[in-house]
Amino acid sequence: MLKGHQSWLFDNNPVISGAAAIVGPFEGQGPLAQDFDIVHGDLRLGQDSWEKAERMLLEEAANLAIEKSGITKESINFLVGGDLMNQIISSTFAARTLQVPYIGVFGACSTSMESLAIAANLVNSRSAKYAMASACSHNATAEKQFRYPTEYGSQKPPTAQFSVTGAGVSIVTQQGKGPHVTSATMGRVVDMGITDPFNMGAAMAPAAVDTIQAHFRDFKIEPGYYDLIVTGDLSKVGYAIANEMFEKNKFPIQQTVYKDCGMMMYDYEKQKVQAGASGAGCSATVTYGHLLRRMREKELNRILVVATGALLSPISYQQGETIPCIAHAVSIENEVRQT
């Protein structure tokens, strides 16, 4: 049901009954490697194009999430998913293979939580018994589309981020074992005038702050309600800006632990990733791999995942347009939220 101005309260307590996170070789060298279901040793996954490799990542993650949920593929009512490619072809072509009724969404790197929020809303409203949420990205496809092909070897500034090769998928059900998706806050498009495609953190940070503040305003709770608030992929630059904005707005983020998926994925000392990680697969794999593992082990009981996305296109930034951004927040809790 609607809560406040832009949030949903899932009063029927949909469950994440299965989830999978699959990544590429570089992600397997990072600190979260043990929390991913599969780490591929070949960036191309044996395919003859980067785009086909990305699609395979998603198909593998979807099939594994279904297996872990204990249901059949034929039972799933809807697949809600997206990616960074033009016409979200990784998700669309994977849906062709999976043969599940498909709702394609695009929120750039915020797609992981956009898809989960919509899937949870479908299940909560009894518009679906079983819904799948997905997001994926691939370093070589994203770099080629938005900046330069990796083979070009271009130099990048310190503000640039490294696109994650990975796919994350969850199965949301009306009943079952697993954490509950308890609420979501859908963000507004925020544009602070950033035009540099190599500085996504600065562009996305205001949208993240806007959505986080809206979430607590709509639900009339304090940040301390959550054990962890994690943004999608602001990385070093955006994370610092977000903290400055919280302080300026007198928002008590210090009540809880605040982290960023883009800073968690890689080892800054050993892996040359400039400001950190990005990509639709970043928050998807960190959430469905690392964070859900910590929830299963009761290290975390309540988390708020705020995935962030820069809504630019190759054409828009080449024409000098500013970069509008968005963030979507989803709360995941081990226990049913009291309403």
Side-chain angles (χ1 to χ4, degrees):
M1 67 179 184
L2 182 66
K3 193 75 172 178
H5 180 68
Q6 62 194 81
S7 299
W8 296 325
L9 175 66
F10 301 131
D11 47 355
N12 287 319
N13 304 300
V15 176
I16 298 178
S17 59
I22 298 179
V23 299
F26 196 59
E27 291 68 28
Q29 299 170 22
L32 307 183
Q34 297 302 313
D35 292 334
F36 301 128
D37 294 285
I38 297 174
V39 176
H40 279 281
D42 174 19
L43 190 62
R44 202 181 285 269
L45 278 69
Q47 303 300 301
D48 58 12
S49 74
W50 303 122
E51 288 74 17
K52 289 181 181 178
E54 181 175 338
R55 184 180 76 209
M56 178 170 282
L57 277 173
L58 181 53
E59 292 174 1
E60 287 183 346
N63 286 320
L64 183 55
I66 293 168
E67 178 183 335
K68 292 166 73 173
S69 73
I71 64 174
T72 64
K73 182 178 69 174
E74 291 73 24
S75 301
I76 298 174
N77 301 109
F78 303 104
L79 161 60
V80 184
D83 52 81
L84 300 179
M85 293 295 92
N86 288 338
Q87 289 73 51
I88 52 174
I89 57 170
S90 297
S91 301
T92 301
F93 287 10
R96 178 183 64 184
T97 301
L98 294 167
Q99 284 296 289
V100 174
Y102 170 60
I103 302 171
V105 296
F106 178 80
C109 300
S110 73
T111 299
S112 64
M113 291 303 108
E114 180 183 18
S115 61
L116 181 57
I118 294 171
N121 206 356
L122 289 169
V123 172
N124 186 74
S125 65
R126 301 303 192 247
S127 297
K129 290 184 178 180
Y130 308 105
M132 183 189 305
S134 72
C136 64
S137 57
H138 191 292
N139 180 267
T141 64
E143 291 298 319
K144 180 171 68 174
Q145 176 165 292
F146 288 100
R147 287 170 284 271
Y148 299 100
T150 52
E151 298 89 338
Y152 184 70
S154 64
Q155 297 297 306
K156 297 179 181 178
T159 56
Q161 293 168 244
F162 191 92
S163 299
V164 165
T165 298
V169 175
S170 63
I171 307 297
V172 184
T173 60
Q174 292 180 1
Q175 296 177 328
K177 294 182 179 180
H180 299 274
V181 185
T182 55
S183 69
T185 298
M186 310 309 288
R188 302 184 300 166
V189 174
V190 177
D191 189 339
M192 299 302 290
I194 301 294
T195 59
D196 182 3
F198 290 101
N199 195 358
M200 294 291 94
M204 293 187 291
V209 171
D210 187 75
T211 297
I212 290 170
Q213 293 182 161
H215 178 82
F216 289 98
R217 183 171 60 247
D218 282 352
F219 288 99
K220 296 180 172 57
I221 56 177
E222 293 288 318
Y225 177 84
Y226 295 106
D227 302 316
L228 172 70
I229 297 175
V230 59
T231 42
D233 50 0
L234 300 182
S235 292
K236 283 184 177 180
V237 175
Y239 180 77
I241 293 172
N243 276 300
E244 290 175 4
M245 294 183 70
F246 287 134
E247 183 176 0
K248 180 179 179 181
N249 297 345
K250 295 181 170 56
F251 181 80
I253 194 69
Q254 67 276 3
Q255 289 183 5
T256 188
V257 176
Y258 169 43
K259 293 186 177 182
D260 184 78
C261 295
M263 298 174 68
M264 298 163 67
M265 177 63 77
Y266 300 120
D267 184 329
Y268 282 100
E269 296 298 321
K270 298 178 181 179
Q271 297 172 288
K272 304 302 181 182
V273 292
Q274 286 81 31
S278 66
C282 178
S283 57
T285 54
V286 172
T287 300
Y288 297 145
H290 175 67
L291 296 180
L292 289 192
R293 190 271 300 168
R294 293 187 66 192
M295 294 191 76
R296 286 193 302 271
E297 296 177 0
K298 307 301 182 183
E299 295 176 13
L300 298 169
N301 286 307
R302 298 170 175 170
I303 65 173
L304 183 69
V305 184
V306 190
T308 54
L311 306 177
L312 78 165
S313 76
I315 292 175
S316 67
Y317 84 76
Q318 288 171 8
Q319 293 178 343
E321 291 280 357
T322 55
I323 302 172
C325 296
I326 199 164
H328 301 300
V330 175
S331 60
I332 305 172
E333 305 182 34
N334 275 333
E335 298 179 358
V336 174
R337 180 180 291 194
Q338 298 299 315
T339 59

